[in-house]
């Protein structure tokens, strides 16, 4: 974060979520919203659920999301419903929703659409969110192939303020997932 001068980040499947003021983790420690230490960016926990964490920094709300591919579609739908309820409670604030959705759809750069992808597309429309992912650069790259499953969404007003969203292909993340970035909203 320091190298890229990023003040906020979402980390899916962290090794550890430390109990400190610049980290807000979900109830299962599978996703966290992080403020860069020493950046002067205060981070307030607004809500924690299973597979999602909601944090506020200044006028921006960030919802970090992770949902395992091995869990059934019905659970995924309930997971998205809980996140939509959080969005509804926080509206009309500037909201960003980011993380590993494990859902493929042609709209965000995959070669095909699967049921989870259709579910996320419908959920985003119902939640008043705009997809920020641009192009078809894979966010997850494995030996068997890659996909775009790490997604960034924003409320419509927030999305208009985002500049230069992209996947950082040239950065080693020490993971099979690539980082993405955008200019400060």
């Amino acid at each position: 974060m320091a190298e890229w001068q990023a003040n906020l980040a979402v980390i899916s499947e962290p090794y550890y979520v430390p109990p400190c003021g610049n980290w807000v983790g979900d109830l299962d420690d599978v996703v966290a919203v992080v403020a860069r230490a020493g950046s002067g960016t205060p981070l307030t926990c607004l809500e924690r659920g299973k597979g999602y964490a909601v944090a506020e920094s200044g006028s921006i709300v960030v919802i970090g999301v992770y949902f395992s591919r091995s869990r059934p579609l019905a659970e995924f739908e309930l997971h998205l419903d809980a996140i939509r309820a959080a969005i509804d409670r926080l509206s009309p604030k500037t909201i960003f929703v980011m993380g590993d959705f494990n859902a493929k759809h042609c709209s965000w750069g995959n070669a095909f659409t699967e049921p989870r992808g259709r579910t996320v597309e419908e959920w985003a429309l119902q939640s008043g969110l705009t997809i920020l992912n641009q192009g078809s650069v894979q966010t997850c790259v494995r030996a068997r192939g890659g996909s775009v499953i790490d997604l960034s969404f924003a409320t419509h007003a927030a999305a208009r303020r985002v500049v230069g969203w992209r996947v950082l292909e040239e950065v080693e993340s020490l993971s099979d997932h690539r980082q993405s970035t955008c200019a400060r909203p």
Side-chain angles (χ1 to χ4, degrees), residues 147-166:
S147 58
V148 181
I149 56 174
D150 302 302
L151 308 175
S152 301
F153 294 94
T155 52
H156 298 308
R160 286 192 293 273
R161 296 172 47 197
V162 172
V163 177
W165 186 99
R166 69 184 185 98

Side-chain angles (χ1 to χ4, degrees), residues 65-151:
V65 176
Y66 174 76
F67 193 81
S68 172
R69 179 148 194 78
S70 65
R71 294 174 56 198
L73 182 59
E75 282 185 33
F76 185 59
E77 291 168 345
L78 292 172
H79 179 71
L80 293 175
D81 286 345
I83 297 166
R84 181 174 42 244
I87 293 167
D88 289 346
R89 284 189 294 278
L90 294 164
S91 185
K93 292 186 178 205
T94 300
I95 302 170
F96 293 89
V97 182
M98 298 176 250
D100 184 350
F101 284 77
N102 278 305
K104 299 174 185 173
H105 197 289
C106 295
S107 294
W108 47 81
N110 287 289
F112 61 91
T113 298
E114 63 179 16
R116 281 181 199 254
R118 280 191 287 281
T119 299
V120 170
E121 181 184 46
E122 289 175 25
W123 164 83
L125 289 170
Q126 293 168 355
S127 301
L129 298 175
T130 299
I131 185 80
L132 299 176
N133 292 54
Q134 296 177 5
S136 57
V137 175
Q138 297 170 339
T139 62
C140 180
V141 180
R142 298 188 173 143
R144 300 181 312 245
S147 58
V148 181
I149 56 174
D150 302 302
L151 308 175

Side-chain angles (χ1 to χ4, degrees), residues 34-76:
V34 182
R36 180 169 46 102
S39 68
T41 304
L43 194 62
T44 304
C45 178
L46 298 181
E47 184 174 336
R48 298 170 66 217
K50 291 180 163 285
Y52 71 95
V54 184
E56 186 170 32
S57 179
S59 63
I60 296 174
V61 173
V62 177
I63 303 175
V65 176
Y66 174 76
F67 193 81
S68 172
R69 179 148 194 78
S70 65
R71 294 174 56 198
L73 182 59
E75 282 185 33
F76 185 59

